[in-house]
Structure formats: C-alpha cells, structure tokens
C-alpha cells in the first residue's frame, strides 16, 4: 500500500512538468500604430503571439517548416505598413521567416556564410526605408547581416 501511495505521489508531482510547456524564446515589438506584440516559442516548438493588453494568445501556423523542426532562436518585428514578421533559426542552422497571420514560412538563403556555420544568436529588424535586415552571430564569434530577400550574407568587423 505504501508503494502505491508513493508511486501516486511521484506521478502527481511529475504530471505538471510533463504536460506544461515553458517559454523558450521571447521577442517583443511595437507596431507603427503603437500596439505592442509579444512573440514566443515554447519548448514544444510551437509559436504564439499576443497583444499584452488583452492576453489572448494566438498560435502561429508552421506551414513549410521541416518535419520535426527545433527552434534555436526567434526574432520578431513590424514593418512600416504594420505587417509583422517572425524570423527563426532552427537546430539545423537554417533561417526562416513568416507573416504570423498566415504562418507560411519561407527559407532564407545563406549565401556567403562559411561552410558548416553554426548560429549562436539571431536578430531581425526593419530599416526606415522598409528593408528588412537579419543579423546573426556564429559560434566562431563572427557577426553577419543580410537582406532576407537577397540572402547574401556580409561579415561585420568585430571588436578585437
């Protein structure tokens, strides 16, 4: 009887950690209208967004992403026309972007990056002329940037 009680206690204590998802990545941004948005990915690699004023979370579709993908980093921003863009790097070091309202992901070319590159950090932003820019740092401590519509990466000098 004691063993059954102990097993039940262990099951009850472990159940929340088995089913609860934790926030893995967070990116916050402000739309041109002044509205704030939070974008997150969870440990199950689902992607969600919310307006923090209403707290309603919306799941983003992952159409086009490879089966079994694992998100390594997430960056979100708003374009001047108000459209949101989410950018992720995956465990296989591929980079993808999507409009979270349609969830159709597009792979970004990685021309110019060194063979066997491994992404450490990713950050995306939009310039005043509405051009998007993606920046990454690699595990060899180099920093690179690209226009995602072109996919040609340029190395940036780093502090010595």
């Amino acid at each position: 009887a004691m063993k059954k009680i102990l097993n039940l206690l262990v099951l009850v204590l472990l159940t929340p950690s088995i089913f609860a998802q934790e926030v893995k990545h967070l990116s916050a941004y402000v739309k041109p209208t002044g509205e704030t948005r939070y974008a997150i990915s969870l440990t199950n690699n689902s992607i969600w967004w919310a307006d923090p004023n209403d707290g309603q979370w919306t799941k983003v579709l992952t159409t086009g992403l490879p089966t079994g993908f694992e998100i390594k980093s997430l960056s979100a921003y708003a374009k001047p026309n108000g459209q949101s863009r989410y950018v992720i790097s995956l465990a296989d070091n591929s980079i993808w972007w999507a409009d979270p309202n349609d969830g159709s992901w597009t792979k970004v070319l990685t021309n110019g990056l060194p063979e066997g590159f491994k992404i450490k950090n990713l950050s995306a932003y939009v310039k005043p002329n509405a051009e998007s820019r993606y920046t990454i740092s690699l595990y060899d401590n180099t920093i690179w940037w690209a226009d995602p519509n072109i996919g040609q990466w340029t190395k940036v000098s780093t502090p010595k």
Side-chain angles (χ1 to χ4, degrees):
M2 184 62 158
K3 189 175 181 180
K4 282 185 180 179
I5 292 171
L6 199 53
N7 285 343
L8 182 60
L9 182 60
V10 168
L11 181 64
V12 168
L13 291 175
L14 290 179
T15 299
S17 65
I18 292 170
F19 295 107
Q21 293 297 319
E22 295 179 18
V23 174
K24 194 161 128 179
H25 303 102
L26 164 69
S27 185
Y29 61 101
V30 178
K31 295 176 76 95
T33 57
E35 300 170 273
T36 302
R37 292 290 184 268
Y38 293 165
I40 61 171
S41 69
L42 301 179
T43 50
N44 67 358
N45 293 296
S46 62
I47 303 167
W48 300 76
W49 71 267
D51 175 337
N53 294 313
D54 69 22
Q56 295 296 313
W57 288 91
T58 302
K59 190 172 186 178
V60 177
L61 295 175
T62 54
T63 307
L65 291 175
T67 304
F69 68 91
E70 181 185 340
I71 299 171
K72 188 153 64 166
S73 54
L74 163 74
S75 185
Y77 64 98
K79 295 183 70 80
N81 64 6
Q83 293 181 334
S84 297
R85 292 290 182 265
Y86 290 6
V87 184
I88 57 175
S89 67
L90 300 182
D92 68 0
N93 294 292
S94 60
I95 302 167
W96 301 76
W97 72 268
D99 176 336
N101 293 311
D102 82 10
S104 181
W105 292 83
T106 301
K107 191 173 186 178
V108 177
L109 295 174
T110 54
N111 298 331
L113 290 173
E115 191 173 328
F117 70 92
K118 291 189 180 4
I119 299 171
K120 187 176 190 178
N121 296 300
L122 171 136
S123 184
Y125 61 96
V126 65
K127 296 175 64 165
N129 65 3
E131 291 179 1
S132 296
R133 291 291 182 266
Y134 298 173
T135 57
I136 58 173
S137 68
L138 304 181
Y139 276 96
D140 66 1
N141 291 311
T142 57
I143 298 172
W144 300 76
W145 71 270
D147 175 333
N149 297 309
I150 299 170
Q152 180 62 48
W153 292 80
T154 303
K155 189 175 180 179
V156 178
S157 65
T158 54
K160 301 292 178 225

